[in-house]
Each structure stands twice: as structure tokens, then as C-alpha cells.
Amino acid sequence: MTTSTALLLADLTGVAVFAASGASAAVVKRLDLFGVVFVGFVAALGGGILRDLVIDEVPPLAFADWRYVTTAAVTAGAVFWLHPQLARLRTCVLVLDAAGLGLFTVTGTLKALDAQVPAVGACLVGMLTAIGGGLARDLLTAEIPVVLRSEIYAVAALVGAVLVTVLEAFGHADATGLTVAAAFVFLVRLVALRRRWSVPVPT
Amino acid sequence: MTTSTALLLADLTGVAVFAASGASAAVVKRLDLFGVVFVGFVAALGGGILRDLVIDEVPPLAFADWRYVTTAAVTAGAVFWLHPQLARLRTCVLVLDAAGLGLFTVTGTLKALDAQVPAVGACLVGMLTAIGGGLARDLLTAEIPVVLRSEIYAVAALVGAVLVTVLEAFGHADATGLTVAAAFVFLVRLVALRRRWSVPVPT
Amino acid sequence: MTTSTALLLADLTGVAVFAASGASAAVVKRLDLFGVVFVGFVAALGGGILRDLVIDEVPPLAFADWRYVTTAAVTAGAVFWLHPQLARLRTCVLVLDAAGLGLFTVTGTLKALDAQVPAVGACLVGMLTAIGGGLARDLLTAEIPVVLRSEIYAVAALVGAVLVTVLEAFGHADATGLTVAAAFVFLVRLVALRRRWSVPVPT
């Protein structure tokens, strides 16, 4: 398996996981089949669309490569029909979501650096790629975005994006380095979930 | 009347209809005159702005051609002052909205294909052009977008976009073919309204 | 001090003021530290990001120049920790917000004209630069945007944008002319606040 195949598989895994999280939120709000698939699409691909618009990669990958939208739509459709059985898989979904967070942080930051976005901006783009879909999901379902309210989520992505930027600056953004960065985001998120770590709230 | 004049008239008709739907929603929420005009502008032109950003047609038509924003603003202003008389025109507005859906689906899909977006992506862009303004209207007025909740609306647009893409692939995307596609979306939407067809909701 | 230094200082002042307004809204909603900084970032830079996407200035300044995001983040962080002391500064914040409105209107309109956007479109882009961040702030905190509901706010920006466009057309868009335009928006907004001027609401 070549590196680009590995990257594509990683990316599509992230798409499927985020589509499932969006579709689950839509099912809870009693949206119809189209609504469930659409919120799944936005949750999976919204962050990447924003990223591609910002780095002028048009049309965005979500529109240019049919495998992305197909993965998102099939996953969201499956959640629509299978959601009663999925209820007991909640832990599994949280773990997969943490994996998606790590993968999207790494690919988003890398693409921004490749597009000559300066370091600070690239970290922002990487973080927005990872959290943008979830933000859009919550806006579409009329919730204050959960990522702004509690828990270590976006902060894990931001730290991961800084890590990728530092690796790139020192010439270590190879498969090993990037895997370490993705795994770091994944683990921070999992430990934060288990230990109920959170970001301070106003006094 | 040349083809491009016909297309422009069709496009501006769609803009006026969607501006009226946005302005009506804003009047219900008791927004002020500026708010009514602004929500009308977003409902009429938001889908096209998103389309133009995605296909890298910048500045988007809504900013590049003054006739678009003028049409939207005048229509929304008229709704602000005339809305008590418009209440009894509800059926008329629904019919015009269905016409706008058909027109925007066809022009959005065509522009995406012209900009070399692959087939699946072009169908998505066409559908988003048609439903994007309504989505933004509902977000601005703090509602879960109605297009995600019930009725055959986005699905009619998606099927119409697929139809345009197939016509284009077989070299039949001429005035007749495109008119048929727009009429198809229009009729599906009208029949769905009358028969109360809807998309399944989660069990 | 050169003109471009003066413009940068003016721009960063606007960023700081809008970041403070976004962070304050987030504190009221009890978002966590990350949420407060993020809403501050969006309120300060969302309008400019939209402007840069529309005029194809990519990556947007918010990602290309680290001073913008740093100013926004530091200001929002300061609001998070100092907000009890800020409560009595409400008048001061309103005055600064009016100043930011004037500054962003002028810089947004100018950049659109420089990017060859036609006059009507440039006025829209200038107004959206000034009000876009506040719109996004209210969407993220699940409120109907205040700018659509009452008071002279967006209208002051729109009139200021028209003024800049007229000055540019007659070759008077120099430091004096632009300062007058910004001051005009600032004063209209302040007088509207004090006199409780508002835009008509539907009858």
C-alpha cells in the first residue's frame, strides 16, 4: 500500500466517522432521511470545504472526488436505518470520533502548509478542518456548538496542528512523525473523555 | 430574445421569488426593515454565492452584477410594506418558490459542469445552489432548516441536478432539455406539496 | 508613521474591539475558555475572511498575518479573565464597537474596489466586512443576529461604504477622505445609540 493510498484511507475513515456523528445528531432532532444524510455530509465534509476555500483549492475535494460524498452519504444512511442498534455503540463512536479528530488535524495542517499558508495560519486551518464539520452540524441542528462549551476537543486539535507545523519546520513531517501527531491528538482526546478534563469556564 | 437574455430573466425571477420567501420569514420574526431586506438578500443570493466560491467564479455574481442585489432588495422591501396583503397569496408564493427551485437547480448544475467540476460534485453544487439560500434564511432566523425536516424539496433539486448532468453528458443540454429539467423539478415539488409527499423520518 | 502602518493599527484596533464584543457574548452564554476565544476570533475576523474569499484574496489575511489572530486571541482571553471588571465599561465598549464599525467599513470597501468589484458589489462587501463578524458571533451563540433586529448599525455601515465608493470614483479616496468616511459611520452609530434611532419594524 502506497503512502497516498494510506492517506486516502485515513481521510475516508475520518469522513465516515464524522458523517456518523452528524447523522446521529440529526436522528435525535427527528430530521427526515434527507436531513440526516445532509447533516452527515456537512459534519463530514464541512471542515474540509472551508479548508479548501481558504487555501484556494477549488473545487473543494468534497466536490471534486466522488468517493468523499459517497462515503459520507452511505454512512449517514446506515445510521438512519440502524440507529436503534447503534445506541449501545456510543463508546465506539466516541473513540472513532477521536480518531477522526486526529486524522483531520494532521491532513488539514499539512495541506495548509503545502499551500504556503504561514505557520500560525496553518495551525488555525488544521484546527478548523477538524472542528468545522462539528460546528456546522450543531448550527444546522440549532444547538450552541458543543465544541465551544466543554471538554478538551478543539484544544487537542490545536496542539496537534502546532506539532505538525513544528515537525514540518524541522523536516520531520514524514509518515512516522505524522502518525505520532495524529495518535497524540487521539490519545489526548480519549484521556480527556475518561478523566473528564475540561477547559475552564468563566468565574 | 436571445438565450442569454432568457437565462438572465429566469435567474432574476428565481432571485425575486427566494427574496420574497426570505423576507416573509423575517417579517414573521419581527425583524426590522434592514433585517427583512438582508434575510431576503441572503435567501435569494446565498446559494449562488456558495456556488461561485466553490467553482472559483469570483467575485460571485451577487457582487459582480448589480441587477441581482437590486432585484432581491426591491422584492424584499415590497414584502416588508405589503405583507398584510400578501398573506392571501400564500399558494402563489409556494408555486413561485417551486419555480425558483427548478431554475436554480438547472443554472447551478450547468455552471458547475462548465467549471469542470466532476459529475457527482456538480449535482451537489446544483442542489446546494437551489437549497443554500433557504438554509441560510433559516439559520439567520434561528430555525432548524425546514428543508432538512420534511417534504420533498431538496430531493427534487437533487434529481433535477442529476437529470441536467445526464443531459450534458449526452450532449442534450440545450434550451429544450434544460427547460424540461427545470419543469420536472417544478412539477415534482408541486405534486409533493399537493399530495403531502414526504421523506421518511427515523423510526 | 507611514500610511500603511496607520492602516494596520486601525485594522488591529477594529479586530481587538470586535474580539472583545464576541468574547463578552460568549461569557454571557457560559462558554469555556476555548469557546470564548473562538467566538472572539470569529467576531473579529469572520467578516474579513468572508471579504477575502469573495475578492479571491487567499489565504485570507486572518490566516496569512499572525498579528490578526494574536490580537483577537489575546483580547478575548483578557475578557475571559477580566470580565467582572469590564461590566462597568459597557459604554466604553459600545464606543469602541462603533469605531470598529467605521474602520472595517472603510477598509472592506476599499479592498473590494481595489479587487475590481463593481461599485454596488463593493458597497455590499464593505458592509458585510463590518457586520459579518457580529452575525457569525450571534449564530454561534444561538441568537437571531442583533444587527437584523433593531437600531441603526448595518445601515450606518452601508451608507459609509457608499461614501467610500463615491470618494474613490471622484479620486478623493485619500487619507483625509477615508478618515471622514470612517468618522461619519462612527458618529452616525453613536448618535443612533444615544437617540435610540431605529429602523422601522413591520406593521
Side-chain angles (χ1 to χ4, degrees):
Chain A
M1 191 165 69
T2 65
T3 311
S4 69
T5 312
L7 263 181
L8 178 70
L9 278 180
D11 226 12
L12 290 181
T13 306
V15 167
V17 168
F18 280 133
S21 88
S24 302
V27 164
V28 170
K29 290 281 178 171
R30 312 279 314 150
L31 302 189
D32 65 20
L33 174 57
F34 176 78
V36 169
V37 171
F38 189 80
V39 176
F41 169 81
V42 170
L45 301 169
I49 292 171
L50 177 62
R51 174 201 65 208
D52 289 347
L53 291 178
V54 163
I55 66 175
D56 211 18
E57 180 86 17
V58 287
L61 203 53
F63 301 103
D65 184 337
W66 61 272
R67 290 173 294 195
Y68 283 77
V69 61
T70 307
T71 302
V74 169
T75 309
V79 169
F80 180 84
W81 275 295
L82 304 176
H83 70 93
Q85 290 94 308
L86 291 175
R88 70 193 84 145
L89 294 176
R90 192 168 169 276
T91 307
C92 178
V93 167
L94 283 174
V95 171
L96 286 170
D97 185 75
L101 190 74
L103 295 167
F104 277 17
T105 300
V106 169
T107 57
T109 311
L110 268 188
K111 288 188 187 186
L113 290 168
D114 282 353
Q116 313 300 330
V117 178
V120 173
C123 292
L124 280 174
V125 171
M127 184 191 73
L128 287 175
T129 305
I131 73 169
L135 275 174
R137 174 198 66 205
D138 291 346
L139 292 180
L140 284 177
T141 52
E143 297 282 343
I144 295 185
V146 66
V147 65
L148 305 181
R149 275 184 297 172
S150 61
E151 302 179 357
I152 301 287
Y153 190 90
V155 171
L158 186 56
V159 174
V162 171
L163 194 54
V164 171
T165 305
V166 170
L167 286 170
E168 174 88 3
F170 288 96
H172 290 304
D174 49 18
T176 314
L178 297 177
T179 307
V180 168
F184 174 80
V185 174
F186 174 66
L187 289 174
V188 167
R189 173 64 186 147
L190 282 193
V191 174
L193 270 176
R194 167 156 292 259
R195 298 279 179 96
R196 300 184 189 285
W197 283 348
S198 67
V199 179
V201 296
T203 48
Chain B
M1 192 165 70
T2 64
T3 310
S4 70
T5 313
L7 264 181
L8 179 69
L9 279 180
D11 225 13
L12 291 181
T13 306
V15 167
V17 169
F18 281 132
S21 87
S24 302
V27 164
V28 170
K29 290 280 178 172
R30 311 280 313 150
L31 301 190
D32 64 21
L33 175 57
F34 175 79
V36 170
V37 171
F38 189 80
V39 176
F41 168 81
V42 169
L45 301 169
I49 292 171
L50 178 62
R51 174 199 66 207
D52 290 347
L53 291 178
V54 164
I55 66 175
D56 212 17
E57 182 84 19
V58 287
L61 204 52
F63 301 102
D65 185 336
W66 62 271
R67 291 173 294 196
Y68 283 77
V69 61
T70 308
T71 303
V74 168
T75 309
V79 169
F80 180 84
W81 276 293
L82 304 176
H83 69 93
Q85 290 95 309
L86 291 175
R88 71 193 84 144
L89 294 176
R90 191 169 169 277
T91 307
C92 180
V93 167
L94 283 174
V95 172
L96 285 170
D97 185 75
L101 190 74
L103 294 168
F104 277 17
T105 299
V106 169
T107 57
T109 310
L110 268 188
K111 288 189 188 187
L113 289 169
D114 282 353
Q116 312 301 331
V117 178
V120 174
C123 292
L124 280 175
V125 171
M127 184 191 73
L128 287 174
T129 305
I131 72 170
L135 275 175
R137 173 198 68 206
D138 292 346
L139 292 180
L140 283 177
T141 53
E143 298 281 343
I144 293 184
V146 67
V147 64
L148 304 181
R149 274 184 297 173
S150 61
E151 301 179 359
I152 301 286
Y153 189 92
V155 171
L158 186 57
V159 174
V162 171
L163 194 55
V164 171
T165 304
V166 170
L167 285 171
E168 174 88 3
F170 288 95
H172 290 304
D174 49 17
T176 315
L178 297 177
T179 307
V180 168
F184 174 80
V185 175
F186 174 65
L187 289 174
V188 168
R189 172 67 185 143
L190 283 193
V191 174
L193 270 177
R194 168 156 293 259
R195 298 279 180 97
R196 299 183 190 287
W197 283 349
S198 67
V199 179
V201 295
T203 48
Chain C
M1 193 165 67
T2 66
T3 310
S4 69
T5 312
L7 264 181
L8 179 68
L9 278 180
D11 226 13
L12 291 181
T13 307
V15 167
V17 168
F18 280 133
S21 89
S24 301
V27 164
V28 169
K29 291 280 178 171
R30 313 280 312 148
L31 302 189
D32 64 21
L33 174 57
F34 176 78
V36 169
V37 171
F38 188 81
V39 176
F41 168 82
V42 169
L45 301 169
I49 292 172
L50 177 63
R51 175 200 65 207
D52 289 347
L53 290 179
V54 164
I55 66 176
D56 212 17
E57 180 85 19
V58 287
L61 204 52
F63 300 103
D65 185 337
W66 62 272
R67 289 172 295 195
Y68 282 77
V69 60
T70 307
T71 303
V74 168
T75 309
V79 169
F80 180 84
W81 276 292
L82 303 176
H83 70 92
Q85 291 94 309
L86 291 175
R88 70 194 83 145
L89 293 176
R90 192 168 167 277
T91 308
C92 179
V93 167
L94 283 174
V95 171
L96 285 171
D97 184 76
L101 191 74
L103 294 168
F104 277 17
T105 299
V106 169
T107 56
T109 311
L110 269 188
K111 288 189 187 187
L113 289 168
D114 283 353
Q116 312 301 331
V117 178
V120 174
C123 292
L124 280 174
V125 171
M127 184 191 73
L128 287 175
T129 306
I131 73 170
L135 275 174
R137 173 198 66 206
D138 292 346
L139 292 180
L140 284 177
T141 52
E143 297 282 342
I144 293 184
V146 67
V147 65
L148 305 181
R149 274 183 298 172
S150 62
E151 302 180 357
I152 301 286
Y153 189 91
V155 171
L158 186 56
V159 174
V162 172
L163 194 54
V164 171
T165 305
V166 170
L167 286 170
E168 174 88 2
F170 288 97
H172 291 304
D174 49 17
T176 315
L178 297 177
T179 307
V180 168
F184 174 81
V185 175
F186 174 66
L187 289 173
V188 168
R189 172 65 186 145
L190 282 193
V191 174
L193 270 177
R194 166 155 295 259
R195 297 281 179 95
R196 299 184 190 286
W197 282 349
S198 66
V199 179
V201 295
T203 49

